[in-house]
Amino acid sequence: MNDSQVQQAAELLWSTWKSGTLIDAIPREYRPTNRDSAYKIQEKVSQLSGSRQIGWKIAATSENGQKHIGVSGPLAGRLLADRAFSHGDTLELGENLMGVAEAEFCFRLGRDLPPRSENYSIEETLSAVDTLHPAIEIPDSRFSDFVTAGEYQLIADHACASWFILGNPTSYNWRDLDLVEHKVDALVDGVIVQSGVGRNVLGDPRIALNWIANELSQTKIGLKAGEVITTGTCVIPFAIKPGDHIKLDFGVLGGIEARLV
């Protein structure tokens, strides 16, 4: 894709973000045809938003999630500051096509993981992590039928990013914890609606973190110190609506909650 095509695609997607409208597809003449062009459009959408990038999300980190939206593997998307909240906040849900929330292990980096020719090992990736946080993601799509949009269009649209809620860093020694079997409960208005474990995220949230480090290294983007990386839902996405009080219980790692209006 040339710069003009990237710009056209990004302007179309950003206009849907601003207006809350949906599109069937990016017109074929400037639709991304590979991951490289998709990430270029994503970057341009982020620039058009005028919002500061605070980190990254990973979508489709389970086989069921990949099958649901028809993709071959995980997808990376940018998280924007003006759509991010903190533990205990109230947020206005607004129009939301997906209508679900997700429970996620989220890592904050203490140093850069820049692009390079060889892959990062899990040990190298983890050594760059500063803190671990519980997090809530409320995804959305700008495509009227996101399950058939395809991975390149979904990447261009920030991998279904929307609202993000970051919990407090855990004080527990998480590096010695078995995150694979670590249980998380999702509650709505005090009632457990879903439960899951860390292995639901690519087998281990740490594997998901390593995946995005290498995905963004290969695409010459990289990760930066201070960025947060939310690794994908460890529970089946659960239905939400305005008026709900959402709470995630990560056991010894802490919890996070938010109210929707």
Side-chain angles (χ1 to χ4, degrees):
M1 294 183 73
N2 60 39
D3 291 346
S4 176
Q5 291 170 312
V6 169
Q7 183 74 26
Q8 286 178 284
E11 288 178 352
L12 173 62
L13 287 172
W14 177 236
S15 71
T16 67
W17 278 65
K18 289 192 299 182
S19 63
T21 55
L22 299 172
I23 58 173
D24 293 332
I26 298 171
R28 192 169 299 278
E29 57 267 29
Y30 46 91
R31 187 181 306 167
T33 56
N34 54 44
R35 287 197 167 213
D36 183 61
S37 59
Y39 282 120
K40 287 180 179 178
I41 295 169
Q42 182 189 113
E43 180 181 19
K44 182 61 68 173
V45 173
S46 179
Q47 292 171 357
L48 290 172
S49 76
S51 181
R52 178 174 57 89
Q53 181 183 329
I54 62 168
W56 296 85
K57 63 158 288 183
I58 311 175
T61 50
S62 71
E63 287 187 12
N64 286 338
Q66 292 165 15
K67 290 177 181 177
H68 179 58
I69 59 174
V71 298
S72 61
L75 316 173
R78 286 168 166 84
L79 297 174
L80 302 178
D82 66 359
R83 304 189 72 82
F85 292 83
S86 300
H87 167 64
D89 281 352
T90 297
L91 67 94
E92 184 175 349
L93 183 61
E95 295 294 328
N96 187 288
L97 177 64
M98 292 184 171
V100 297
E102 301 177 342
E104 314 215 0
F105 295 85
C106 183
F107 299 93
R108 186 186 294 278
L109 295 186
R111 62 175 176 82
D112 294 353
L113 290 170
R116 69 183 198 186
S117 57
E118 69 271 25
N119 278 344
Y120 286 100
S121 68
I122 291 178
E123 291 73 22
E124 287 177 300
T125 306
L126 285 174
S127 72
V129 173
D130 183 18
T131 50
L132 173 66
H133 306 244
I136 300 170
E137 192 193 355
I138 300 176
D140 203 9
S141 178
R142 274 52 65 176
F143 294 105
S144 55
D145 187 6
F146 59 88
V147 299
T148 62
E151 60 188 65
Y152 303 144
Q153 291 196 103
L154 293 176
I155 289 172
D157 190 33
H158 286 228
C160 301
S162 185
W163 304 116
F164 172 68
I165 306 151
L166 181 66
N168 297 322
T170 183
S171 59
Y172 192 83
N173 182 18
W174 60 270
R175 293 181 188 272
D176 291 337
L177 191 65
D178 182 9
L179 295 185
V180 173
E181 297 300 330
H182 191 75
K183 185 183 178 185
V184 178
D185 291 324
L187 300 87
V188 176
D189 297 332
V191 177
I192 295 176
V193 294
Q194 289 290 346
S195 296
V197 292
R199 68 171 174 268
N200 295 335
V201 183
L202 279 184
D204 186 330
R206 293 165 292 200
I207 292 175
L209 177 67
N210 185 240
W211 173 85
I212 197 171
N214 288 317
E215 172 82 349
L216 297 181
S217 177
Q218 291 164 9
T219 52
K220 305 298 187 293
I221 299 172
L223 293 169
K224 297 179 181 177
E227 290 184 331
V228 294
I229 295 91
T230 192
T231 53
T233 186
C234 61
V235 304
I236 296 172
F238 55 97
I240 55 170
K241 64 184 185 306
D244 285 345
H245 176 213
I246 304 170
K247 182 178 180 180
L248 303 181
D249 182 359
F250 280 74
V252 296
L253 297 178
I256 180 173
E257 58 188 87
R259 292 189 179 275
L260 306 179
V261 296

